């Protein structure tokens, strides 16, 4: 009798196995570690781990901004204030700028003129009030400029001993142009006269400080007794040549007396001539020296 062949049991189970899933990829996260640090095991499959939202880190109760207490604001020292505003230095009542004092030099002289004349020049402009010219021997005058006058640099001033007119402030031509006055210079008249022996002049600033000085002598004859002391005063005030002043009465020679060795000679002057401080490259430099002065020349009052 024919008997069918028996089908092996394994073959009979194949249909059942076909419906079963394959071997799981993982059972724990560590089984997925080889695939990356963010791969985890979910339902036996290795998948990308979901991103975790950590949210803002919250340390707990919000302490807020640190507050040291009352708000002092920005430190404000302000501008240093010495007190009431003194404003600009004011030499008068108009609040204007202080005007400096003029600086003058003695530049021309003639004691033999019918009216004795002395000329000065402003090396720097400014006010004249209080500036004074002194004669230090035996002349009967000294002169102080009045207040209210102001001159420019280069201005020429003429002093008229025994004159009868003085220019008004701000009007240098107000005395006219009839000689010895001139419209080109400032004219000041004052009492007094000069003898024609020897004279020593010193110019002082308004505060009394020495500014300039000149000793004048004749080549022969007797000088005023005060001549030597006056010359030495100019030297002490540092406005004249510091070369030792010779006054030797024993030689019997006029040239060795009364400091003639360093003084300006005004010998041989007449009514139409003057001695002038015009010699050298810096004739108005101080201390002055005899080499700055000319021999007698035709007068030129009011110009320099």
């Amino acid at each position: 009798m024919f008997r069918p062949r028996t089908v092996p049991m394994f073959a009979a189970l194949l249909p059942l196995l076909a419906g079963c899933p394959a071997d799981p990829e993982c059972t724990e996260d560590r089984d997925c570690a080889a695939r990356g640090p963010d791969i985890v095991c979910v339902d036996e499959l290795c998948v990308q781990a979901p991103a975790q939202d950590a949210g803002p880190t919250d340390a707990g109760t919000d302490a807020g901004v640190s507050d040291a207490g009352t708000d002092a604001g920005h430190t404000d020292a302000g501008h240093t204030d010495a007190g009431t505003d003194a404003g600009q230095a004011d030499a008068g009542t108009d609040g204007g700028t202080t005007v400096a004092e003029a600086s003058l030099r003695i530049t021309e002289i003639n004691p033999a003129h019918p009216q004795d004349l002395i000329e000065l020049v402003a090396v720097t402009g400014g006010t004249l009030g209080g500036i004074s010219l002194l004669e230090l021997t035996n002349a009967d005058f000294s002169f102080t400029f009045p207040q209210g006058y102001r001159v420019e640099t280069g201005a020429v001033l003429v002093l008229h001993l025994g004159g009868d007119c003085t220019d008004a402030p701000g009007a240098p031509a107000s005395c006219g142009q009839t000689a010895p006055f001139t419209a080109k210079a400032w004219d000041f008249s004052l009492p007094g006269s000069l003898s024609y022996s020897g004279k020593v002049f010193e110019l002082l600033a308004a505060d009394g400080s020495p500014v300039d000085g000149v000793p004048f002598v004749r080549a022969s004859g007797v000088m005023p007794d005060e001549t030597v002391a006056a010359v030495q005063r100019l030297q002490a005030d540092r406005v004249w040549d510091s070369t030792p002043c010779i006054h030797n009465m024993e030689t019997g020679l006029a040239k060795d007396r009364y400091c003639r060795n360093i003084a300006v000679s005004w010998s041989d002057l007449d009514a139409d001539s003057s001695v002038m401080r015009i010699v050298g490259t810096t004739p108005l430099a101080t201390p002055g020296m005899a080499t700055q002065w000319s021999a007698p020349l035709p007068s030129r009052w009011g110009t320099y």
Side-chain angles (χ1 to χ4, degrees):
M1 178 176 184
F2 175 75
R3 299 179 70 180
R5 177 181 290 181
T6 301
V7 178
M9 185 177 291
F10 178 79
L13 294 174
L14 284 175
L16 297 173
L17 294 174
C20 294
D23 293 335
E25 289 184 343
C26 63
T27 58
E28 298 179 0
D29 288 344
R30 65 184 179 182
D31 296 334
C32 302
R35 298 192 182 188
D38 297 326
I39 305 302
V40 296
C41 184
V42 178
D43 296 332
E44 297 184 340
L45 294 174
C46 292
V47 298
Q48 178 74 39
Q52 294 183 356
D53 185 3
T57 301
D58 188 357
T61 304
D62 185 6
V65 180
S66 177
D67 188 357
T70 303
D71 184 7
H74 294 291
T75 301
D76 186 5
H79 292 290
T80 301
D81 189 357
T84 304
D85 184 6
Q88 293 181 316
D90 187 359
T93 58
D94 61 355
T97 303
T98 300
V99 178
E101 182 176 286
S103 182
L104 307 180
R105 298 290 185 271
I106 305 166
T107 52
E108 184 174 354
I109 192 165
N110 186 344
H113 197 277
Q115 180 180 305
D116 298 335
L117 303 176
I118 303 170
E119 181 189 87
L120 305 98
V121 166
V123 293
T124 59
T127 61
L128 296 177
I131 298 173
S132 58
L133 180 67
L134 309 180
E135 202 289 295
L136 303 180
T137 61
N138 62 350
D140 59 352
F141 92 97
S142 64
F143 175 70
T144 299
F145 285 95
Q147 300 294 330
Y149 288 83
R150 179 177 176 180
V151 297
E152 301 297 326
T153 299
V156 180
L157 300 82
V158 180
L159 306 187
H160 301 255
L161 278 67
D164 58 6
C165 185
T166 292
D167 287 326
S174 56
C175 282
Q177 302 182 53
T178 302
F181 300 102
T182 171
K184 297 180 180 179
W186 290 88
D187 296 296
F188 295 86
S189 290
L190 58 150
S193 62
L194 296 176
S195 62
Y196 187 25
S197 53
K199 294 288 175 283
V200 179
F201 297 90
E202 186 167 31
L203 188 66
L204 306 178
D207 63 3
S209 58
V211 175
D212 191 26
V214 188
F216 295 97
V217 296
R218 297 186 72 174
S220 61
V222 176
M223 299 293 108
D225 292 339
E226 302 88 349
T227 299
V228 175
V231 173
Q232 292 172 342
R233 168 174 164 169
L234 298 186
Q235 292 179 311
D237 288 344
R238 299 183 180 181
V239 294
W240 192 248
D241 186 353
S242 61
T243 302
C245 162
I246 295 175
H247 180 57
N248 186 350
M249 298 297 292
E250 296 181 358
T251 68
L253 301 174
K255 68 180 183 65
D256 296 329
R257 300 176 182 178
Y258 305 107
C259 302
R260 286 190 177 98
N261 62 307
I262 60 171
V264 177
S265 174
W266 62 7
S267 301
D268 305 321
L269 289 175
D270 58 35
D272 297 319
S273 61
S274 302
V275 287
M276 307 174 195
R277 192 174 183 174
I278 58 174
V279 180
T281 56
T282 54
L284 301 181
T286 56
M289 302 183 70
T291 53
Q292 297 169 330
W293 288 80
S294 72
L297 292 173
S299 299
R300 57 179 194 183
W301 303 108
T303 62
Y304 188 82

